[in-house]
Amino acid sequence: MGTITFLLVLSFLVFFHELGHFLAARYFGVKIHVFSIGFGKQIFAKEWKGTTWQLALIPLGGYVQMKGQDDKNPNLKEDGDDSYNTKKPWQRIIILFAGPFANFILAAILYFSIAMMGATTWAAQVGVVQENSPAFHAGIKTNDEIIKINDTEIKSWDEIGKTIINTDGALKFFIKRDGEIIAKTINPHISDSENMFKEKIKKRMIGISPSGKVINLDLSIGESMVYAYEKTVFASTMIFQGVQKLIQGVIPSSEVGGVITIGKVISDASESSIIALFAITALISVNLGVLNLLPIPALDGGHIMFNLYEMITRRKPSDQVFMFLTILGWVILGSLMLLGIYNDITRIFLNN
């Protein structure tokens, strides 16, 4: 069942990505020869409105084959108003960007659905108070519920950290304890900490950690839209930074996961709850969107880079350069895929 869920989720994400390209291309009058989910041998096909809609044997991706554009033949040129290569560079960029953009939209829709179904988060309830910390000296105790900081209403644990970091000087905390509201003035200290990439950083802190109590967020439609937007932006930023840290060597290459890891994560989420499945699907959708925007030839980002070059210089890259960089892009992608699979297999053997 987990494998079926994985294939369905991946096919859905690929379909949405390629649908973005398809709709943008059709908007600019580009003819679509093939809309394919999967690669390799065709196992199902149907002709509709001049496009062959197909399922292929290897369900690990997909593509939209436009007239005048084919990654397997980078030098392909076809004339006519309905050809991709006769469109202006800015139009091609929109067509290319539409795929990743569709993934961001899908992620936002999924996060919005999660918010409406009942998103959960940590309660603004204190668990451990570090000894000799600002919170300790102010008299904060375990199980205290933080309801307000200065003039900011606090509904979840995340809002506490955001408020502390984004303010200066001493803060007035309003604490609910045994049914009473107590005011405490706390002056955060700049302390050593770690970010999500295990890097050492300095951060304003008061020395408390959450109790672990989970609450449901009762969000209106407007608040759910804000929740979806913030979650999508946060996931996008996190993945962009993750790629940057991987290139810098902050994150070791052994952390790169492949299709096996993705399949396991999706399978585990599907067995947990529909909200967990939606959350991991949204994260993978953002991941797909971000990675496709990387300036690697053969990816959408690489093609966007070529078109930007044409817009700036008023001339296209030479066929030889274009072909060389495209082949190099496929080599890079193939190497990353092999690295991910190698790491997946290594983890399986280590866990056993």
Side-chain angles (χ1 to χ4, degrees):
M1 186 63 185
T3 302
I4 294 174
T5 304
F6 162 63
L7 293 176
L8 288 174
V9 168
L10 188 60
S11 297
F12 177 64
L13 293 175
V14 169
F15 171 78
F16 219 86
H17 177 93
E18 299 303 335
L19 183 63
H21 290 311
F22 175 85
L23 293 175
R26 293 301 300 131
Y27 178 80
F28 288 117
V30 177
K31 179 177 176 56
I32 309 296
H33 294 307
V34 180
F35 189 117
S36 179
I37 302 300
F39 298 102
K41 184 178 179 180
Q42 185 185 85
I43 58 177
F44 170 81
K46 183 174 179 59
E47 186 86 14
W48 186 57
K49 292 192 175 182
T51 300
T52 299
W53 301 75
Q54 71 174 33
L55 293 176
L57 186 61
I58 305 172
L60 301 178
Y63 61 91
V64 167
Q65 185 180 336
M66 295 176 275
K67 180 180 178 180
Q69 195 268 340
D70 187 353
D71 285 340
K72 293 177 290 186
N73 182 12
N75 293 328
L76 175 68
K77 290 181 175 63
E78 295 182 89
D79 295 328
D81 291 339
D82 59 351
S83 178
Y84 169 84
N85 59 251
T86 62
K87 299 302 175 183
K88 295 177 180 178
W90 67 267
Q91 293 173 318
R92 285 183 242 140
I93 288 174
I94 291 175
I95 293 171
L96 293 164
F97 181 73
F101 183 71
N103 285 121
F104 297 133
I105 293 297
L106 175 58
I109 291 171
L110 290 170
Y111 283 128
F112 177 80
S113 300
I114 290 170
M116 295 302 292
M117 287 188 291
T120 59
T121 188
W122 278 342
Q125 185 181 59
V126 178
V128 176
V129 180
Q130 294 179 8
E131 213 170 318
N132 295 321
S133 66
F136 178 85
H137 291 301
I140 302 296
K141 297 181 179 180
T142 298
N143 293 328
D144 280 351
E145 183 182 348
I146 300 172
I147 60 174
K148 190 176 178 182
I149 302 176
N150 289 347
D151 295 323
T152 303
E153 300 288 339
I154 301 297
K155 295 181 179 179
S156 67
W157 187 264
D158 287 343
E159 293 176 343
I160 299 173
K162 289 178 184 177
T163 304
I164 293 173
I165 292 172
N166 295 326
T167 53
D168 296 315
L171 301 172
K172 193 166 188 178
F173 279 65
F174 294 87
I175 310 297
K176 187 175 182 180
R177 181 190 299 165
D178 298 328
E180 294 184 26
I181 306 299
I182 305 169
K184 300 282 188 181
T185 299
I186 304 176
N187 190 10
H189 288 177
I190 304 297
S191 305
D192 293 324
S193 183
E194 286 186 348
N195 61 18
M196 68 179 71
F197 305 110
K198 306 297 183 183
E199 293 177 296
K200 301 294 183 184
I201 60 172
K202 298 286 187 180
K203 185 165 88 170
R204 263 168 67 93
M205 303 172 70
I206 65 170
I208 57 175
S209 58
S211 67
K213 179 182 176 182
V214 176
I215 58 171
N216 288 316
L217 294 174
D218 185 17
L219 303 175
S220 65
I221 292 178
E223 289 172 332
S224 295
M225 293 177 68
V226 172
Y227 174 90
Y229 171 78
E230 290 180 345
K231 282 288 187 180
T232 303
V233 170
F234 174 77
S236 304
T237 304
M238 180 181 68
I239 294 168
F240 267 119
Q241 289 178 343
V243 172
Q244 178 187 0
K245 301 301 180 185
L246 182 65
I247 294 171
Q248 293 174 341
V250 175
I251 299 176
S253 60
S254 58
E255 293 296 314
V256 176
V259 65
I260 299 174
T261 295
I262 295 172
K264 186 178 186 308
V265 169
I266 292 175
S267 177
D268 291 346
S270 67
E271 293 174 1
S272 174
S273 67
I274 187 65
I275 288 181
L277 180 60
F278 275 27
I280 197 63
T281 301
L283 185 59
I284 295 173
S285 187
V286 171
N287 204 315
L288 186 61
V290 169
L291 294 182
N292 267 281
L293 285 175
L294 294 179
I296 298 175
L299 290 178
D300 295 326
H303 289 294
I304 289 173
M305 181 178 63
F306 288 134
N307 282 287
L308 286 173
Y309 172 84
E310 184 177 343
M311 286 181 67
I312 294 170
T313 64
R314 304 284 181 167
R315 59 189 176 88
K316 294 182 178 181
S318 68
D319 290 345
Q320 293 83 358
V321 170
F322 189 77
M323 177 67 80
F324 171 77
L325 291 177
T326 299
I327 293 172
L328 177 63
W330 282 114
V331 170
I332 293 172
L333 291 178
S335 300
L336 288 173
M337 288 180 65
L338 289 174
L339 174 63
I341 293 172
Y342 170 79
N343 288 340
D344 290 346
I345 295 172
T346 302
R347 291 188 194 103
I348 291 172
F349 280 109
L350 287 177
N351 291 336
N352 290 336

